[in-house]
């Protein structure tokens, strides 16, 4: 008899270029042996050169997708990426409570607070930052901001280990169980050091800094790899360590595509793409 795999749900936007957003999330879930499901929040128009615009999905369609899969197929872990507007964030938060996803339930929930694309194009309307802090962070098992998002969310400019810790402390005030402050966007150092904390444990995860311009979708892929491990029952420190090892390979095998920034490669185990 064929065994039903664990399931993971991404609540996020589409990247027409296939490298980030739900496309990265689904590739990563399936590459990690987890059945991926989607609640689409927005459709971006983009290629390797950047985002040209986006249109959000009606709020009841976003929440309908979450209820449809949660009620029938079951969700072993969920994550959010691009959420586009405060209305979508508020509605997603309420729906997650209804279907029992998030901290203080048995279904872990990862919030990747996507605010902008790598090329600086806003993927979130400005008033929505407060909704992420107030509505999503308190429901999150783990939040995974990059350094630009840390600055937008807390005002802390991370330049090294002490400001990375200050940022983690400031972010934990918003109520998530764990925070991962990713150091990938720091210029200095040969290693890429991420800091994971629940306010009691302080765990530094160090890995090689890989020299490539093709890092499109890297943040989404790392958060989805962590979500995959959580769906399979790992605790947060184990899931983050597994996610970091996974994203290192994805970045090492990232490929050029188009005239701009190419995508990371979640299917490196299959020999590419
Ligand atoms: O990598 C952040 C991200 C998330 N979601 C969508 C995106 C991007 C970056 O471009 O397009 C849909």
């Amino acid at each position: 008899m064929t065994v039903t795999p664990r399931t993971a749900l991404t609540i996020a936007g589409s990247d027409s270029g296939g490298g980030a957003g739900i496309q990265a999330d689904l590739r990563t879930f399936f590459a990690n042996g987890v059945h991926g499901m989607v609640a689409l929040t927005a459709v971006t128009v983009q290629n390797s050169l950047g985002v040209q615009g986006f249109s959000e999905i009606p709020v009841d369609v976003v929440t309908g997708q979450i209820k449809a899969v949660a009620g029938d197929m079951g969700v072993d872990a969920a994550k959010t990426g691009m959420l586009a507007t405060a209305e979508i964030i508020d509605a997603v938060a309420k729906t997650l409570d209804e279907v029992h996803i998030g901290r203080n339930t048995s279904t872990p929930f990862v919030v990747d607070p996507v605010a902008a694309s790598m090329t600086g194009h806003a993927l979130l309307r400005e008033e929505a930052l407060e909704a992420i802090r107030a509505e999503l962070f308190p429901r999150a098992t783990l939040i995974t901001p990059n350094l630009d998002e840390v600055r937008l969310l807390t005002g802390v400019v991370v330049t090294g280990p002490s400001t990375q810790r200050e940022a983690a402390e400031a972010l934990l005030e918003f109520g998530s169980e764990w925070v991962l402050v990713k150091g990938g966007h720091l210029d200095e150092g040969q290693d890429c050091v991420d800091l994971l904390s629940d306010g009691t444990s302080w765990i530094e995860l160090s890995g090689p800094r890989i020299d490539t311009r093709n890092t499109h979708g890297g943040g989404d892929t790392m958060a989805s790899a962590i979500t995959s491990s959580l769906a399979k029952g790992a605790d947060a420190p184990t899931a983050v360590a597994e996610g970091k090892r996974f994203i290192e390979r994805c970045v090492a095998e990232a490929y050029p595509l188009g005239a701009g920034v190419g995508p990371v490669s979640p299917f490196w185990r299959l020999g590419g793409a």
Side-chain angles (χ1 to χ4, degrees), residues 7-9 37 66 69-70 73-78 101 107-108:
T7 61
L9 169 66
M37 304 177 298
I66 299 170
V69 298
M73 301 158 90
V75 177
D76 291 314
I101 291 174
T107 305

Side-chain angles (χ1 to χ4, degrees), residues 2-19:
T2 307
V3 176
T4 302
R6 297 296 178 98
T7 61
L9 169 66
T10 177
I11 306 167
S14 164
D15 167 7
S16 51

Side-chain angles (χ1 to χ4, degrees), residues 42-45 51-56 82 84-85 121-125:
V43 176
T44 70
V45 177
V51 178
Q52 289 152 32
F54 70 81
S55 174
E56 57 260 21
M82 174 186 182
T85 68
H121 194 289
L123 296 175
L124 190 69
R125 310 232 188 268

